[in-house]
Amino acid sequence: MASTTWTTTGVFTGPGGVRTAEAGTLAGELAVRTTWESQQAHVAVQYVGDTEWHPLAGSPVPCPTPEVGRTVHQGAVDAVRAGGAVPFTLPAAARAAYGAPTQAGG
């Protein structure tokens, strides 16, 4: 199955940074990448100019279509800008698109 990817660079984290699954909390200027594949959206961040991507805590999230994946990506960018170092959850706009739970498995 094909995948679709969106990337936004130059995203500054809000207060408290953003929590990743592997690298702890990151803060500063990041790139945000969302890859839709197999009805899931995988969201990761990296420091601008770095080569290593770090999955957000809470990623992947359920995502039925690439179109909803674009909404998930914008929600991820907004979450990074908001900061707070909390696990990523499915944005309300994406949940409304198909009535999904807020987190994978939940």
Side-chain angles (χ1 to χ4, degrees):
M1 175 176 273
S3 65
T4 304
T5 301
W6 301 269
T7 303
T8 302
T9 59
V11 180
F12 288 88
T13 61
V18 62
R19 189 177 349 164
T20 68
E22 301 167 352
T25 301
L26 303 182
E29 184 178 4
L30 303 174
V32 180
R33 179 182 70 188
T34 303
T35 302
W36 177 87
E37 166 177 79
S38 300
Q39 296 192 337
Q40 290 189 321
H42 300 263
V43 183
V45 294
Q46 75 175 181
Y47 283 111
V48 172
D50 199 356
T51 59
E52 189 171 350
W53 289 95
H54 306 284
L56 289 185
S59 177
V61 294
C63 184
T65 67
E67 292 77 19
V68 175
R70 179 66 184 101
T71 302
V72 171
H73 177 71
Q74 186 57 53
V77 169
D78 294 343
V80 169
R81 287 182 176 140
V86 297
F88 180 69
T89 59
L90 195 62
R95 284 193 312 271
Y98 72 109
T102 58
Q103 293 185 15

